Amino acid sequence: MALTLYDYYRSSASYRVRIALNLKGVEYSRVPVNLLEGEQRDQAYRALNPQGFVPMLDADGEKLTQSFAIIAWLEARYPSPALLPADLGARSHVQALALTIATDIHPLNNLRVLKRLSDMGVDQAGRDDWYRHWIAEGFTALEALAAPRAGKFLFGDEVTLADVFLVPQMFNARRFDVSLDAYPTLVRADASATALEPVAAAHPERVAPAAPTG
Ligand SMILES: N[C@@H](CCC(=O)N[C@@H](CS)C(=O)NCC(=O)O)C(=O)O
């Protein structure tokens, strides 16, 4: 099957999908969509994904959107290694951890939201404060939710979907100088996950476009 990922190196939703693809050991090619240049809003890209978001995964011509749904598709199509536990309660818990990030933290800090704040007159300091606020609030809840059942990773001692969503959000937090002292479970899980080569290989710096030479 031919898989083509439309992504942007620093997009955390794209980063999730790269991690999942790498953990599954699935080969894919990438088509970069430059968000800073607004390529996601181009007619050609909108014809592929009307929402104008990355990531988008083309699977033999089928256009898959929304990182959570893309990764659910990968889990069903390539079940091994599993990113979800077999136990139904544990599975729901792991999905809840991932969705805490995907639906309750990340959308508030999306590029278009920050741009809207800017259009409304909120200055850089105000936008940074907004960004850090939602990460801190979300991470406080995530730490409390995850800690009782965490091990090396966010759930237990094997990497799961929860870590796939955590790692990019930790990257964002560090980019915006959010203090992580209050989240020891998240820091431990992030360190365990990023020590895995398939996860490390998905890092924005590992896939960033080469700087122009000359
Ligand atoms: N819920 C979507 C969110 C995707 C998303 O927010 N993508 C961002 C990059 S991380 C994007 O394309 N932003 C473009 C924009 O804001 O104009 C998913 O999980 O795939």
Side-chain angles (χ1 to χ4, degrees):
M1 170 167 281
L3 296 177
T4 306
L5 179 66
Y6 289 70
D7 76 346
Y8 178 63
Y9 75 106
R10 230 162 45 185
S11 143
S12 50
S14 304
Y15 188 2
R16 297 168 191 158
V17 176
R18 292 196 301 269
I19 293 173
L21 283 159
N22 292 352
L23 284 170
K24 298 275 180 196
V26 176
E27 281 198 25
Y28 64 100
S29 56
R30 292 178 55 233
V31 175
V33 179
N34 191 323
L35 299 188
L36 294 187
E37 288 178 10
E39 287 177 4
Q40 74 278 25
R41 291 189 292 275
D42 287 353
Q43 221 181 340
Y45 186 69
R46 288 236 186 213
L48 300 173
N49 180 2
Q51 230 185 343
F53 283 158
V54 289
M56 196 275 284
L57 186 70
D58 184 307
D60 270 351
E62 188 161 15
K63 312 282 184 285
L64 309 176
T65 63
Q66 289 289 346
S67 59
F68 195 92
I70 295 171
I71 295 168
W73 181 91
L74 287 170
E75 182 74 354
R77 178 70 179 72
Y78 305 99
S80 180
L83 294 174
L84 286 170
D87 175 80
L88 287 186
R91 175 180 287 244
S92 178
H93 175 64
V94 165
Q95 288 173 330
L97 296 174
L99 287 169
T100 300
I101 295 166
T103 63
D104 298 330
I105 301 177
H106 177 264
L108 288 158
N109 289 343
N110 203 338
L111 188 61
R112 66 188 180 138
V113 172
L114 300 177
K115 184 174 177 314
R116 179 72 181 143
L117 289 174
S118 171
D119 292 347
M120 291 170 73
V122 180
D123 64 10
Q124 185 66 52
R127 295 198 301 275
D128 288 351
D129 183 63
W130 167 279
Y131 198 103
R132 293 185 189 115
H133 171 83
W134 294 116
I135 291 186
E137 192 178 290
F139 274 6
T140 301
L142 189 65
E143 175 74 24
L145 194 61
R149 301 173 80 176
K152 265 176 70 183
F153 293 94
L154 211 49
F155 173 76
D157 291 322
E158 301 291 334
V159 68
T160 69
L161 182 79
D163 306 293
V164 171
F165 280 70
L166 175 69
V167 166
Q169 194 60 54
M170 293 290 274
F171 169 76
N172 287 349
R174 291 194 177 98
R175 255 186 83 208
F176 280 79
D177 293 325
V178 175
S179 166
L180 298 173
D181 295 348
Y183 318 116
T185 307
L186 310 191
V187 170
R188 183 175 71 237
D190 177 63
S192 302
T194 52
L196 304 174
E197 175 54 22
V199 176
H203 191 282
E205 279 166 19
R206 296 270 297 263
V207 301
T213 52

